C-alpha cells in the first residue's frame, strides 16, 4: 500500500494507472475509519483494479462552532485497517496541500437541496463537501467513487455535482452499516459517553417505527413523525433537530405517503450530533390495503 | 470536422482520443468568431493532436440587464471558419444540454478577484465563467486550454480555477489581437455604429499613453490614470467605467509603479461595453532612470 501526501504524487499515480488501462475506485473519508468505511472499501476493491482511499478532515465543510478541532483522528490505526483490507493507495494530504495560499475557488449547490435539513443547520457544509469532492475527483480520476447512505443528503448533492459539472466518475451509494443495536456507524460515535451510547440507538428505533407505521398503512406523514418524536422523546439526553418524511430525491417533505419516502433524523445525544435515515418503500401488503382504501394515480 | 451537440458525444470522443494517446487542445468561445479566436485555434492546432472548439453563449455569465439576448451569433460562418482553420471538433451544445432541469451546481471565486473591476460591474459574471469552464474541462478533457489576454481578469480566474480544483489542463493565455487602428478584436465590436467604431480605438490609445508615461519614468499611478482619462475624455461618445493600474496577479491598484503592472480600461462606447488591457513592463531606460532617482527594494 502506498501513502501519498501530495497532490502531485497522487495525480501522477492516477494518470499512469489510467494510461495503463486500470480502473480506479475512490473512497473519500475523513478518517477514523469504521465498518461503514470498510464496506465502501470492499465494494471498491471488488469492482476496481485499484482502490484509492482519501483521508482528509476537510475544514471547509465544518462551521465555525462545529467539531473540526476535536474531530477524531487516528492515522496509524486507519493505515493498518486499509492495508489489511487490501487498499492500493491512501491519499492523506495536509490542509495546506488542498487549500494553498491564495485559494479562492468553491463549488456550491444553489437550488434548494442546500437550504434543507443538514444545509439549514450547517450553513456552508455542502459547499465544503462539493468543493473537496470536486478536488478529489480531479486529483484521483476515479471510475467509481463510493459513499455511504448514512449521509443521504450528501449523497444526493454529490450525485448532482457529478451530473452538473460533467465529472466522469460513477457515484455508488452503499447501505448504512450499523452496530448490533442499530446505531449507525459513525466516527462521531466515539464522542458518546457510556450513558449516551445506551440511548443513541433511539434514533434508529424511531426510523424503524416510521417504517412499521407506513407498512401498516399510515399515509399521513404528520402521524408518522409524531410517532418518531414520541419514541425519541422517551430518552432524556436526546434532543431532536429534525425528524422528517421526505421525497427521496428532493428531500422536500411529502404531504402524503404514496410511494418511496426517505425518513431522516438528526439529533443531539448529549453534545454529540448524530444523523441517520432509512428509505421506506410501501410493502406489498400495504399497497393492497392502500388500493382498497382509495384510488390513486 | 465533426460537430457535436451533446455532452455524451463530446465526452465519448475525448475519452477515446485520450485512450489512444492523443493530446487535446480546447478553445472555449461564445462564437461569432474573430481573428482573436482564430489565433487561439492556431496555437491549439500547432501544439495538440486534436483541437476542440466550443461554441456556447453561456447564459450563466450574463447579468439580468446584459446583452445575452442580442449577443451576436452566426453558427454557419463560425463553422466555415473553423473548418478552414483545420479544427477537428466543434462542440456546440444547447443551453438545456449544459444546464438541464434540476441543475444546481456552481463554481465561484470567493477571495477578492471576483469583487473587482469586471466582477464589481458584472456581479456573478465570474461564477458563470468558472462554472462553464469547469464543465467544458470535464467534458472535453483537454491537455491545454487557450484563452485571450483581452479578458485579463477572466484569464487570472481560470488559472485559479484550474489550480484550486486540481484540473489537469494547462491554461495558455495568448496576446490580444487588434484591428489595424489598435481596437481589440471582440465579438461585441459588431454592436458599434460607424461613428462609434471611429472613436472606440481611444481605449487602446489610452493604454498606450499609460505605457509611454511609465516608460518615460512616471511612477505615480494617479498621474498615469489621469493621462488615460484625459485621452478618452476627448471622445464624447465614450464613458469610462474604470481605468486602473494594477498588480498583474491580484488586480489590486498599485500605489507606486515599481515593476510589471497591468493597465485595464472598461468603457461604454455608445451603448456598447468594451474592455481592454496591456501589461506594462518598465523598460531598461526607465529602470536606469528609476535607479538614479531612488533606491528601491
Amino acid at each position: 500500500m502506498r501513502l501519498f501526501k501530495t497532490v502531485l504524487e497522487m495525480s501522477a499515480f492516477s494518470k499512469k494507472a489510467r494510461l495503463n488501462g486500470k480502473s480506479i475506485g475512490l473512497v473519500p473519508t475523513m478518517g477514523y475509519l469504521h465498518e461503514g468505511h470498510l464496506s465502501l472499501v470492499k465494494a471498491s476493491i471488488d469492482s476496481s483494479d485499484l482502490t484509492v482511499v482519501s483521508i482528509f478532515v476537510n475544514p471547509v465543510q465544518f462551521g465555525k462552532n462545529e467539531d473540526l478541532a476535536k474531530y477524531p483522528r487516528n492515522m496509524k490505526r486507519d493505515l493498518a485497517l486499509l492495508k489489511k483490507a487490501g487498499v492500493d493507495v491512501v491519499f492523506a494530504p495536509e490542509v495546506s496541500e488542498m487549500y494553498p495560499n491564495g485559494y479562492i475557488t468553491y463549488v456550491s449547490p444553489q437550488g434548494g437541496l442546500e437550504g434543507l435539513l443538514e444545509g439549514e443547520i450547517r450553513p456552508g457544509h455542502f459547499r465544503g463537501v462539493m468543493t473537496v469532492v470536486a478536488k478529489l475527483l480531479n486529483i484521483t480520476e476515479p471510475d467509481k467513487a463510493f459513499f455511504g447512505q448514512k449521509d443521504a443528503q450528501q449523497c444526493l448533492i454529490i450525485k448532482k455535482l457529478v451530473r452538473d459539472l460533467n465529472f466522469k466518475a460513477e457515484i455508488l451509494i452503499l447501505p448504512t452499516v450499523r452496530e448490533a443495536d442499530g446505531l449507525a456507524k459513525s466516527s462521531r460515535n466515539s464522542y458518546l459517553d457510556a450513558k449516551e451510547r445506551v440511548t443513541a440507538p433511539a434514533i434508529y428505533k424511531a426510523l424503524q417505527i416510521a417504517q412499521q407505521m407506513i407498512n401498516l398503512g399510515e399515509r399521513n406523514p404528520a402521524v408518522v413523525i409524531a410517532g418518531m418524536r414520541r419514541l425519541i422523546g422517551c430518552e432524556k439526553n436526546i434532543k431532536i433537530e429534525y425528524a422528517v418524511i421526505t421525497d427521496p430525491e428532493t428531500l422536500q417533505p411529502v404531504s402524503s405517503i404514496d410511494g418511496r419516502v426517505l425518513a431522516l433524523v438528526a439529533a443531539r445525544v448529549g453534545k454529540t450530533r448524530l444523523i441517520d435515515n432509512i428509505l421506506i418503500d410501501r410493502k406489498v401488503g400495504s399497497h393492497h390495503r392502500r388500493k382498497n382504501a382509495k384510488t390513486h394515480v
Side-chain angles (χ1 to χ4, degrees), chain A:
Chain A
M1 189 176 76
R2 304 180 69 175
L3 171 62
F4 296 133
K5 298 221 149 214
T6 68
V7 170
L8 203 65
E9 289 170 295
M10 185 66 244
S11 293
F13 177 90
S14 288
K15 190 180 178 185
K16 192 177 164 193
R18 294 194 69 83
L19 278 174
N20 292 337
K22 302 286 189 189
S23 65
I24 298 172
L26 170 68
V27 182
T29 82
M30 299 209 301
Y32 214 75
L33 304 175
H34 52 65
E35 288 83 349
H37 298 112
L38 296 176
S39 75
L40 306 180
V41 167
K42 185 176 183 311
S44 175
I45 289 175
D46 289 349
S47 66
S48 311
D49 296 327
L50 296 167
T51 289
V52 176
V53 176
S54 62
I55 299 179
F56 180 62
V57 182
N58 175 33
V60 183
Q61 74 190 65
F62 286 80
K64 274 182 186 168
N65 299 315
E66 291 183 7
D67 57 344
L68 172 61
K70 70 164 186 172
Y71 194 86
R73 292 161 166 90
N74 189 338
M75 185 62 80
K76 196 175 161 188
R77 180 173 163 276
D78 288 347
L79 292 177
L81 285 168
L82 295 174
K83 189 172 180 181
K84 193 178 160 202
V87 163
D88 300 283
V89 172
V90 174
F91 176 51
E94 297 291 333
V95 171
S96 61
E97 180 72 10
M98 292 292 270
Y99 303 106
N101 281 342
Y103 190 96
I104 65 162
T105 308
Y106 296 90
V107 188
S108 49
Q110 292 165 21
L113 264 181
E114 79 285 5
L116 301 167
L117 307 174
E118 292 303 292
E120 188 178 2
I121 292 169
R122 307 182 67 187
H125 172 62
F126 290 120
R127 166 175 168 272
V129 169
M130 271 194 166
T131 300
V132 79
V133 173
K135 286 172 65 68
L136 290 170
L137 292 175
N138 277 341
I139 294 166
T140 65
E141 296 187 71
D143 298 87
K144 295 177 179 174
F146 297 83
F147 296 86
Q149 173 64 25
K150 179 177 70 78
D151 301 299
Q153 193 172 3
Q154 171 174 282
C155 291
L156 288 170
I157 278 176
I158 287 168
K159 282 183 170 178
K160 286 279 191 184
L161 166 72
V162 166
R163 189 195 75 145
D164 286 355
L165 291 191
N166 310 100
F167 282 100
K168 295 296 193 299
E170 182 186 355
I171 300 302
L172 292 128
I173 310 299
L174 270 74
T176 303
V177 176
R178 300 181 180 285
E179 304 288 352
D181 58 11
L183 177 64
K185 299 262 186 185
S186 166
S187 307
R188 289 189 171 96
N189 291 349
S190 65
Y191 297 149
L192 301 171
D193 68 22
K195 270 193 183 171
E196 290 163 352
R197 177 63 191 81
V198 171
T199 53
I203 294 172
Y204 182 55
K205 283 181 193 146
L207 293 169
Q208 286 180 302
I209 281 286
Q211 178 149 42
Q212 284 162 9
M213 292 173 76
I214 292 170
N215 287 345
L216 285 167
E218 183 55 58
R219 295 180 59 176
N220 183 346
V223 173
V224 177
I225 290 167
M228 293 164 74
R229 288 191 165 271
R230 202 172 303 122
L231 193 143
I232 293 176
C234 298
E235 305 292 347
K236 279 176 188 154
N237 59 357
I238 306 188
K239 196 182 150 209
I240 295 175
E241 288 194 342
Y242 58 76
V244 291
I245 308 287
T246 73
D247 178 281
E249 298 300 320
T250 65
L251 299 189
Q252 293 290 341
V254 294
S255 54
S256 169
I257 299 165
D258 288 329
R260 278 157 38 111
V261 293
L262 191 67
L264 303 105
V265 171
R268 287 198 179 268
V269 183
K271 289 183 175 174
T272 302
R273 187 169 187 279
L274 299 176
I275 60 173
D276 200 354
N277 70 88
I278 57 172
L279 191 64
I280 303 174
D281 229 330
R282 293 175 69 92
K283 285 198 184 156
V284 176
S286 65
H287 271 288
H288 182 253
R289 187 174 293 121
R290 192 181 59 194
K291 204 188 282 176
N292 291 345
K294 192 173 171 182
T295 314
H296 119 124
V297 186

